[in-house]
């Protein structure tokens, strides 16, 4: 891809590949170091902390004037020396594996190995500093004067990750609060997957005659979206292989061509019956692809395994988190998708860690987005949920 962000892409791809290796290293462990966050009791693992520290280390060394926003805090690491040691160790083990296999005769591999080594933390204290650096970047908002900010979700779908099911690693670059670059790794989802995709629909390289494993989907605003294997061949080696341009499959879609992705019948923040009724109102099978993590859902939309999703929170004061959506939404937009909230407002990423200017999501091909939005709002009115709507 020939873009003004070629340097960022050339660094972000091997970085997210190594992050994926960290995730799979932890995934193979019987003890994933899972603890509950104090603020919302959601799970966090060794992989979440290690990947956030690693991503911050590589990208801050490569782009020292940029800011960083990520999901995790290092408070639990400071309170748990054994957990901190595991985080430090898994980063170094994965970096050492790649560095020891370095082949200076292969120019691309040598470059990749050099990028990877930048992520090795110098101490356990630095691990904590790197994780916490991601808590500062968005505290004052991400407005027009905020410059460049990288946003990370180290493991999107931690609940499914610990079960060996679908998850994603999200890396986004914002400039002045606008999505510029997205790089997402889905270690258990093949670029050759077919719909419908579910949390337990795991596609591994062993099942692929080409030895491919997982996928990376990436995009630059105005330059389209692309997909490539996460790993190719034996040993999950880090490689710079050819990417495939994703077609703008959402262009010109009619209502009869809509296909859904959602998260169905999982206790949480959404109004399940409204999602189901609004989708079926359009004559669309529900749930279609069924995924817990938001980032895998955005990837599914980009790959054309679905082309619409709706999400209504149970309360107007419930807000989405920026790391679940920033960058990953760009993937769908670059194949012809349009994304607003339930009120029809553009998604505003400038307010910081929470999307406080928006309520829910409606994503669909641009040609029929207004039809999907109307169906959602009409459904809420018919179900007596007018309190979830602003005056239209």
């Amino acid at each position: 891809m020939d873009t003004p962000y070629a340097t960022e892409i050339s660094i972000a791809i091997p970085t997210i590949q190594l992050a994926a290796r960290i995730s799979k290293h932890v995934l193979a462990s019987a003890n994933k170091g899972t603890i509950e966050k104090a603020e919302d009791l959601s799970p966090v693992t060794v992989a979440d902390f290690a990947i956030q520290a690693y991503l911050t280390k590589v990208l801050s060394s490569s782009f020292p004037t940029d800011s960083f926003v990520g999901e995790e805090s290092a408070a639990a690491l400071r309170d748990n020396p054994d957990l901190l040691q595991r985080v430090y160790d898994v980063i170094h083990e994965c970096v050492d594996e790649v560095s020891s296999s370095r082949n200076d005769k292969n120019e691309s591999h040598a470059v990749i190995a050099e990028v990877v080594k930048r992520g090795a933390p110098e101490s356990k204290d630095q691990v904590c500093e790197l994780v916490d650096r991601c808590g500062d970047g968005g505290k004052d908002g991400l407005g027009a004067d905020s410059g460049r900010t990288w946003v990370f979700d180290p493991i999107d779908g931690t609940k499914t990750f610990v079960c060996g099911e679908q998850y994603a690693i999200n890396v986004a670059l914002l400039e002045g609060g606008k999505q510029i670059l997205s790089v997402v790794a889905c270690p258990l989802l093949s670029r050759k997957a077919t719909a419908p995709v579910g949390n337990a629909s795991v596609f591994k390289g062993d099942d692929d005659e080409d030895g491919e494993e997982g996928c990376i989907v990436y995009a630059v605003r105005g330059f389209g979206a692309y997909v490539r294997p996460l790993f190719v061949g034996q040993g999950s080696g880090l490689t710079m292989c050819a990417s495939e341009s994703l077609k703008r499959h959402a262009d010109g879609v009619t209502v009869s061509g809509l296909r859904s992705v959602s998260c169905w019948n999982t206790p949480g923040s959404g109004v399940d019956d409204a999602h189901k009724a609004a989708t079926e109102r359009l004559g669309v099978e529900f749930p279609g692809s069924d995924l817990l993590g938001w980032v895998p859902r955005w990837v599914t939309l980009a790959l054309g395994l679905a082309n619409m999703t709706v999400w209504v929170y149970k309360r107007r004061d419930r807000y989405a988190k920026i790391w679940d959506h920033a960058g990953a939404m760009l993937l769908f937009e670059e194949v012809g998708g349009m994304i607003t909230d339930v009120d029809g407002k553009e998604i505003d990423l400038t307010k910081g860690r929470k999307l406080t200017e928006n309520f829910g999501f409606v994503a669909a091909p641009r040609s029929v987005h207004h039809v999907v939005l109307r169906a959602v709002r009409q459904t809420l009115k018919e179900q007596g949920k007018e309190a979830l709507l602003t005056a239209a």
Side-chain angles (χ1 to χ4, degrees):
M1 184 197 299
D2 185 15
T3 80
Y5 296 89
T7 298
E8 285 82 353
I9 291 171
S10 69
I11 293 172
I13 286 180
T15 301
I16 209 168
Q17 284 182 298
L18 195 283
R21 282 183 70 127
I22 292 172
S23 74
K24 298 198 79 174
H25 191 288
V26 175
L27 192 58
S29 172
N31 179 4
K32 298 172 179 59
T34 307
I35 60 174
E36 289 184 342
K37 298 180 189 178
E39 62 270 24
D40 61 5
L41 302 183
S42 63
V44 60
T45 70
V46 168
D48 296 83
F49 293 119
I51 291 172
Q52 184 162 308
Y54 177 78
L55 293 173
T56 306
K57 181 71 161 57
V58 174
L59 292 169
S60 63
S61 67
S62 303
F63 309 104
T65 62
D66 292 355
S67 299
F68 299 88
V69 173
E71 181 173 6
E72 309 307 338
S73 159
L77 295 179
R78 292 189 172 92
D79 292 340
N80 189 332
D82 290 339
L83 181 62
L84 176 57
Q85 184 69 55
R86 286 193 64 192
V87 170
Y88 178 83
D89 288 345
V90 73
I91 298 173
H92 277 272
E93 287 169 12
C94 292
V95 169
D96 289 346
E97 285 176 7
V98 173
S99 298
S100 64
S101 65
R102 176 172 177 168
N103 179 0
D104 289 319
K105 294 181 180 179
N106 184 322
E107 182 178 353
S108 65
H109 188 87
V111 170
I112 289 169
E114 188 60 36
V115 170
V116 163
K117 288 199 298 185
R118 298 177 198 172
E122 297 168 9
S123 66
K124 287 176 285 186
D125 284 343
Q126 189 181 51
V127 170
C128 294
E129 293 167 4
L130 290 165
V131 171
D132 277 345
R133 188 180 304 182
C134 294
D136 296 331
K139 66 180 181 181
D140 298 320
L142 298 166
D145 59 350
S146 61
R148 289 172 37 124
T149 302
W150 294 89
V151 179
F152 308 138
D153 193 339
I155 297 286
D156 182 68
T158 302
K159 290 180 181 178
T160 42
F161 169 73
V162 297
C163 298
E165 297 179 343
Q166 291 295 336
Y167 67 99
I169 301 166
N170 189 31
V171 173
L173 176 61
L174 309 184
E175 286 191 6
K178 298 294 185 182
Q179 300 174 104
I180 297 298
L181 169 66
S182 170
V183 181
V184 174
C186 292
L188 302 180
L189 181 66
S190 168
R191 65 191 178 110
K192 301 176 183 179
T194 57
V197 178
N199 292 313
S201 301
V202 176
F203 300 84
K204 297 183 178 180
D206 291 344
D207 300 324
D208 192 314
E209 62 183 11
D210 298 322
E212 293 184 9
E213 186 174 346
C215 70
I216 294 174
V217 186
Y218 62 100
V220 174
R221 177 171 295 280
F223 289 87
Y226 296 77
V227 63
R228 53 148 287 167
L230 174 57
F231 300 126
V232 180
Q234 298 297 316
S236 297
L238 273 60
T239 54
M240 294 298 288
C241 66
S243 299
E244 174 187 350
S245 176
L246 292 174
K247 296 179 180 178
R248 290 183 59 90
H249 60 80
D251 282 343
V253 171
T254 62
V255 172
S256 64
L258 290 172
R259 292 180 294 163
S260 171
V261 58
S262 190
C263 176
W264 171 240
N265 204 25
T266 300
S269 62
V271 185
D272 275 354
D273 60 338
H275 304 156
K276 185 175 189 291
T279 303
E280 292 180 343
R281 185 189 196 103
L282 295 162
V284 179
E285 183 178 353
F286 184 87
S289 292
D290 184 6
L291 293 162
L292 176 68
W294 262 109
V295 177
R297 281 183 252 175
W298 293 122
V299 168
T300 298
L301 290 164
L303 293 176
L305 302 175
N307 56 22
M308 67 161 283
T309 192
V310 299
W311 194 260
V312 182
Y313 289 111
K314 293 179 179 179
R315 304 194 318 266
R316 283 292 307 196
D317 62 352
R318 177 65 186 256
Y319 303 117
K321 309 292 178 55
I322 191 169
W323 44 79
D324 290 331
H325 306 281
M329 294 187 298
L330 179 63
L331 300 174
F332 185 46
E333 292 174 344
E334 286 295 309
V335 296
M338 179 177 179
I339 305 165
T340 69
D341 67 7
V342 173
D343 300 322
K345 295 166 55 180
E346 181 180 352
I347 305 301
D348 186 347
L349 300 174
T350 67
K351 303 306 177 184
R353 297 171 67 82
K354 294 185 178 181
L355 309 187
T356 56
E357 293 297 308
N358 297 109
F359 176 69
F361 294 89
V362 176
R366 183 170 293 275
S367 54
V368 293
H369 181 278
H370 64 291
V371 180
V372 177
L373 178 63
R374 183 169 63 243
V376 173
R377 296 180 65 83
Q378 288 175 342
T379 297
L380 291 173
K381 290 176 182 178
E382 291 176 3
Q383 291 185 344
K385 298 181 173 72
E386 290 93 340
L388 297 177
L389 296 172
T390 59

